[in-house]
Amino acid sequence: MHQLFATRAARMKASEIRELLKLLDQPGIISFAGGIPDPALFPAEAFGQAFQQALGADSRAQALQYSVSEGYMPLREWIAGHMRQIGVDCGPDDVLITSGSQQALDYLGKLFLSPGDTALVGWPTYLGALAAFNAYEPRFDRLRAGGNAGAAQYRAAAGPGAVKYAYLSPDFANPTGETVDRQGREALLDLAEELDCALIEDGAYQALRYDGQAIPPILALELARKGDLQACRTIYCGSFSKTLSPGLRVGWVVAARPVIAQLVLMKQAADLHSATINQMAVHQVAQTCFDSHIPKVRATYRARRDAMLAALERHMPEGVHWTRPEGGMFIWLTLPPGADGAQLLARALETVKVAFVPGQAFHPDGSGANTIRLSFSNSDEATIAEGIARLGAVLRG
Ligand SMILES: Cc1ncc(COP(=O)(O)O)c(C=O)c1O
């Protein structure tokens, strides 16, 4: 059968890492692998009430019915208000609801990339973005935020294909935890102008800042330059996955109308719309408790980040370096040159039952063998201290 598959299928491969991570189900494993929220933080009671309300006599017909591809209007209104709060002046018609921001990444790959076109991405970058874009058979080139590669260099490397967009997560990126400062964001906008390409801003972790000053989204900076969302080339992807719940699969896109209109057509063709009842429940919960819930999420993850940073300081041997994120869920470790993150994972799982994700998978060119990603979001402080102590012992031994 596989000879019948389209050429794009050959680019979609299950990774060996996934096989290794299946071992996570073993009892006693301390896992810093999955970048997932702590389920104890889900506002479960509020969701219970919201679903009950959606299924009440007044709204059940709507909740269980087909709905419009653009998304549930009250939720789009709430999101437009939220975006205005973070500096992006927009209205509900500028918002499309997607099934998680992952769906937006897939649609954006589908919208922009013909085979051989170039997508600029960080090295490393979010694995799910690489997987989504990869299906459209692009060439990846390395986006150096704040670096000195100029438009001409990117264009020359692109060859006959065009540079279609740059993708990045400017706040507390997955996998590095790093943030692009304001100057870096402005420089990216300059680069996108020079290249005449789109900019995909992945705001999945935007709300999870634990310290330091918030930096306006790239879309807000572009809006400040141009004064009109319809003139902007930045496409903002947001998500409720890291703040309220990933299982309901509710995310959004804010962009200029022609982009939104095209994405709506794609959504119609792909899945008609995101689950109506989930959108209604997310709207209800966002409206009633987003502002009181987020500080709890931040406080919990801040303490875990601090615990992991303190444990790394204590237990990591000489020659290991790591990022100090101001938010998000991840710390990125660079091991001494020649070290291999995948081998370390195999050893750590077998000898001390500690899991993490080796960094190579986040690099489209297969580099980064001596890097690893640690997630602190789903373990309490004591478990983090124990896991990092064990990992330090393996690295030393
Ligand atoms: C940077 C980034 N973008 C997007 C996503 C996808 O999130 P969702 O589809 O749940 O909104 C993730 C999930 O881990 C992520 O880390």
Side-chain angles (χ1 to χ4, degrees):
M1 185 67 90
H2 66 274
Q3 73 281 6
L4 300 176
F5 295 168
T7 51
R8 75 182 77 93
R11 296 172 65 122
M12 301 173 189
K13 295 209 174 73
S15 73
E16 292 158 30
I17 305 302
R18 276 199 182 281
E19 295 305 309
L20 267 180
L21 294 178
K22 281 187 189 156
L23 302 174
L24 293 190
D25 291 341
Q26 287 175 26
I29 294 263
I30 295 180
S31 177
F32 303 130
I36 56 173
D38 183 340
L41 289 169
F42 297 154
E45 265 182 42
F47 272 118
Q49 285 165 12
F51 276 101
Q52 231 169 5
Q53 188 177 321
L55 288 171
D58 291 344
S59 56
R60 66 172 68 124
Q62 184 180 11
L64 298 175
Q65 187 56 281
Y66 283 121
S67 55
V68 294
S69 302
E70 287 85 345
Y72 180 57
M73 185 46 104
L75 180 60
R76 290 161 64 206
E77 278 165 353
W78 187 91
I79 289 168
H82 172 72
M83 293 300 296
R84 287 195 293 275
Q85 270 182 15
I86 61 171
V88 177
D89 189 11
C90 67
D93 291 338
D94 305 311
V95 180
L96 165 71
I97 305 294
T98 53
S99 298
S101 51
Q102 188 66 29
Q103 184 175 58
L105 298 179
D106 176 43
Y107 288 176
L108 290 168
K110 193 187 266 193
L111 180 58
F112 284 102
L113 299 172
S114 299
D117 279 343
T118 293
L120 303 181
V121 296
W123 240 242
T125 198
Y126 170 49
L127 195 49
L130 290 178
F133 302 156
N134 203 27
Y136 303 101
E137 307 180 70
R139 180 187 157 268
F140 290 112
D141 200 353
R142 182 173 187 177
L143 176 66
R144 293 165 201 272
N148 49 13
Q153 209 175 321
Y154 285 122
R155 237 187 247 120
V163 180
K164 288 297 182 64
Y165 57 71
Y167 161 82
L168 81 158
S169 193
D171 291 301
F172 335 119
N174 179 1
T176 64
E178 287 173 328
T179 294
V180 180
D181 64 16
R182 190 176 180 128
Q183 210 184 348
R185 294 176 197 218
E186 296 283 7
L188 279 163
L189 277 171
D190 292 340
L191 177 68
E193 289 294 336
E194 270 190 78
L195 280 169
D196 192 19
C197 72
L199 241 174
I200 301 177
E201 176 172 28
D202 184 336
Y205 298 93
Q206 195 277 339
L208 300 185
R209 175 174 281 280
Y210 313 136
D211 39 45
Q213 273 281 319
I215 305 168
I218 298 174
L219 180 53
L221 297 174
E222 189 178 10
L223 253 173
R225 286 184 184 192
K226 297 183 173 164
D228 179 7
L229 179 61
Q230 307 317 321
C232 289
R233 56 179 73 244
T234 304
I235 300 166
Y236 185 96
C237 304
S239 177
F240 289 104
S241 291
K242 316 297 179 184
T243 49
L244 297 182
S245 154
L248 296 174
R249 312 303 305 131
V250 181
W252 70 89
V253 178
V254 172
R257 298 277 167 83
V259 174
I260 295 292
Q262 203 65 40
L263 293 175
V264 168
L265 295 179
M266 276 177 182
K267 191 153 176 69
Q268 257 164 24
D271 69 349
L272 299 181
H273 60 80
S274 297
T276 319
I277 192 167
N278 291 3
Q279 296 184 63
M280 292 170 84
V282 165
H283 169 248
Q284 177 68 17
V285 172
Q287 197 181 32
T288 51
C289 62
F290 193 86
D291 290 345
S292 57
H293 183 64
I294 297 307
K296 287 184 221 156
V297 176
R298 288 193 189 127
T300 304
Y301 292 160
R302 179 190 294 119
R304 292 175 182 182
R305 177 209 55 182
D306 290 347
M308 189 170 271
L309 287 173
L312 287 167
E313 210 65 65
R314 249 183 102 180
H315 298 291
M316 284 300 119
E318 192 90 355
V320 177
H321 304 281
W322 56 91
T323 55
R324 288 166 178 78
E326 292 186 326
M329 297 184 170
F330 307 105
I331 294 177
W332 182 249
L333 264 67
T334 305
L335 310 173
D340 186 293
Q343 280 173 16
L344 180 68
L345 173 62
R347 207 147 32 100
L349 275 171
E350 192 185 316
T351 59
V352 294
K353 295 197 166 194
V354 171
F356 51 82
V357 183
Q360 202 166 15
F362 301 97
H363 295 71
D365 67 342
S367 62
N370 66 325
T371 55
I372 66 174
R373 186 193 77 177
L374 301 176
S375 168
F376 52 79
S377 55
N378 201 19
S379 311
D380 61 33
E381 287 97 306
T383 309
I384 287 171
E386 172 64 25
I388 297 297
R390 290 190 202 173
L391 189 59
V394 175
L395 271 164
R396 263 188 254 102

